[in-house]
């Protein structure tokens, strides 16, 4: 089980991350944290309520105000946006000191998630440069991994990331690690997709009425003979759902599951031998709006496969 922990908000970094670090240390479980480097504009996500019925339903089902706190829900709207990683650099460093991986989860999470296809190459490049600059300011060394906010990426973002020579990225939802095919070119950077549904996608399902039902759902989803990548959120599993998430970690340990960092997964894989797949736009039950997903495997005839120069 590779645990990918997304940190989308100031509140999540300040309160959720230290709790998750303590719990995972206690349980002896490794994990990778992906922190949004720029301003906490999560309140702007409320604007989606007026545009997107699915999002309104999700806000209602998951009770966003009690889950995220009013300060977060209003952040970047009537209250100023607080810087996330740069506002709490000691918390970010502490995660790495405790032995966890820290990667980049974009700069402005809301801007990336809502507007990636409007930003253009200059806009996406600016988001990436700002995010990686903040990481470097905190750690005095370049980041080696990236996870796209909201699992949204496109050809421009994937090409820009490929030129950065990262160890891997985790931008999509999918089945197994792969190499991305863009315009007939195979990118060099490994993609490790999230393979399991997220908690906010399954909460509120009529057939999963309580924490016990959700726990057994996840245990059923877990594949003992494959890599499982589970994305959790510091704002959710690190706060109101910490108890349920701790129960899941313990139940997985009892079943013999081991926990690995995503960079450890990447180090073990022979990237040139991995399948080449397209990256497609898809929709998931319980999630409003599109996400990027692992598409079908791309088969290239001998002699026509072009590797991106790196
Ligand atoms: Zn996120």
């Amino acid at each position: 089980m590779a645990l990918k922990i997304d940190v989308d908000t100031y509140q999540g970094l300040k309160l959720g991350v230290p709790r998750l670090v303590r719990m995972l240390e206690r349980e002896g479980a490794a994990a990778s944290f992906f922190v949004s480097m720029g301003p906490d504009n999560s309140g702007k996500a409320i604007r989606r309520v007026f545009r997107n019925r699915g999002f309104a339903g999700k806000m209602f089902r998951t009770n966003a105000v009690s889950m995220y706190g009013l300060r977060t829900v209003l952040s970047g709207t009537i209250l100023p946006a607080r810087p996330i990683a740069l506002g709490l650099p000691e918390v970010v460093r502490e995660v790495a000191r405790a032995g966890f991986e820290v990667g980049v989860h974009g700069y402005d999470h809301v801007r990336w998630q809502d507007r990636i296809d409007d930003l253009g190459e200059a806009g996406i490049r600016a988001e990436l440069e700002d995010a990686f600059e903040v990481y470097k300011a905190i750690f005095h060394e370049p980041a080696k991994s990236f996870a796209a906010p909201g699992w949204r990426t496109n050809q421009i973002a994937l090409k820009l990331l490929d030129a950065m020579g990262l160890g891997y990225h985790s931008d999509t939802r999918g089945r197994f690690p792969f190499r991305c095919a863009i315009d007939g070119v195979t990118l060099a950077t490994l993609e490790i997709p999230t393979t399991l549904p997220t908690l906010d996608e399954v909460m509120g399902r009529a057939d999963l009425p309580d924490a016990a039902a959700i726990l057994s759902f996840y245990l059923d989803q877990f594949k003992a003979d494959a890599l499982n990548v589970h994305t959790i959120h510091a704002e959710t599993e690190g706060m109101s759902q910490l108890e349920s998430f701790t129960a899941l970690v313990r139940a997985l340990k009892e079943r013999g599951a081991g926990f690995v960092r995503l960079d450890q997964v990447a180090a073990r894989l022979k990237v040139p031998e991995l399948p080449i797949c397209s990256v497609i736009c898809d929709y998931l039950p319980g999630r409003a709006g599109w996400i990027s997903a692992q598409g079908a495997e791309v088969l290239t005839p001998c002699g026509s496969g072009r590797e991106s120069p790196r």
Side-chain angles (χ1 to χ4, degrees):
M1 169 69 90
L3 279 179
K4 170 174 174 275
I5 302 172
D6 288 358
V7 186
D8 297 358
T9 64
Y10 180 90
Q11 188 90 344
L13 180 57
K14 187 178 180 187
L15 301 176
V17 166
R19 290 175 196 172
L20 281 168
V21 164
R22 280 196 297 274
M23 185 278 279
L24 294 167
E25 279 187 311
R26 212 168 48 232
E27 299 298 329
S32 298
F33 287 76
F34 290 88
V35 183
S36 289
M37 295 289 147
D40 180 354
N41 276 315
S42 40
K44 285 183 183 160
I46 289 178
R47 289 183 312 191
R48 291 187 213 133
V49 170
F50 303 104
R51 297 200 303 255
N52 188 331
R53 291 184 62 178
F55 187 80
K58 187 174 145 188
M59 290 282 283
F60 176 71
R61 268 206 328 277
T62 59
N63 194 359
V65 173
S66 77
M67 190 176 269
Y68 290 92
L70 193 59
R71 180 65 182 79
T72 297
V73 166
L74 297 177
S75 191
T77 58
I78 59 170
L79 297 176
R82 295 176 285 192
I84 302 175
L86 209 52
L88 298 161
E90 261 316 297
V91 179
V92 182
R93 285 189 204 106
E94 190 50 44
V95 175
R97 267 199 298 269
F100 298 95
E101 180 189 9
V102 179
V104 171
H105 191 41
Y107 184 71
D108 184 333
H109 193 291
V110 173
R111 186 190 291 149
W112 182 286
Q113 190 170 3
D114 286 359
R115 297 183 47 213
I116 181 169
D117 284 335
D118 306 328
L119 291 175
E121 184 167 341
I124 292 174
R125 188 188 296 276
E127 288 291 307
L128 292 174
E129 281 177 359
D130 288 348
F132 281 81
E133 193 179 304
V134 172
Y135 184 100
K136 202 170 176 187
I138 293 172
F139 286 109
H140 308 295
E141 61 177 31
K144 298 177 193 74
S145 57
F146 177 83
W151 300 279
R152 285 188 173 179
T153 190
N154 61 22
Q155 298 201 357
I156 298 169
L158 286 169
K159 284 180 188 168
L160 289 172
L161 285 162
D162 201 45
M164 296 170 74
L166 302 175
Y168 71 96
H169 43 62
S170 184
D171 295 344
T172 67
R173 307 292 291 264
R175 309 176 299 280
F176 47 79
F178 64 99
R179 294 180 289 160
C180 304
I182 300 291
D183 285 341
V185 176
T186 303
L187 301 183
T189 311
L190 164 68
E191 162 65 12
I192 304 178
T194 293
T195 65
L196 296 174
T198 61
L199 184 60
D200 58 323
E201 288 161 7
V202 299
M203 268 168 84
R205 262 174 59 167
D207 57 330
L208 302 172
D210 53 28
I214 290 175
L215 175 63
S216 62
F217 168 82
Y218 274 113
L219 294 176
D220 287 347
Q221 294 280 314
F222 182 78
K223 292 194 179 86
D225 56 348
L227 173 70
N228 300 265
V229 182
H230 185 32
T231 297
I232 68 162
H233 284 90
E235 295 77 20
T236 314
E237 283 91 339
M239 296 178 70
S240 64
Q241 302 298 315
L242 183 60
E243 208 178 312
S244 313
F245 179 60
T246 306
L248 175 62
V249 169
R250 288 186 182 148
L252 286 167
K253 275 169 62 183
E254 277 165 25
R255 292 184 172 213
F259 291 86
V260 285
R261 294 163 38 151
L262 276 80
D263 59 345
Q264 293 168 334
V265 173
R268 285 181 205 167
L269 291 169
K270 292 193 176 77
V271 178
E273 293 171 15
L274 289 179
I276 301 164
C277 298
S278 59
V279 176
I280 59 168
C281 183
D282 203 359
Y283 294 86
L284 297 173
R287 177 159 298 284
W290 64 275
I291 48 91
S292 297
Q294 178 177 14
E297 200 169 327
V298 178
L299 303 171
T300 44
C302 292
S304 69
R306 286 182 292 150
E307 300 282 340
S308 73
R310 187 170 103 189

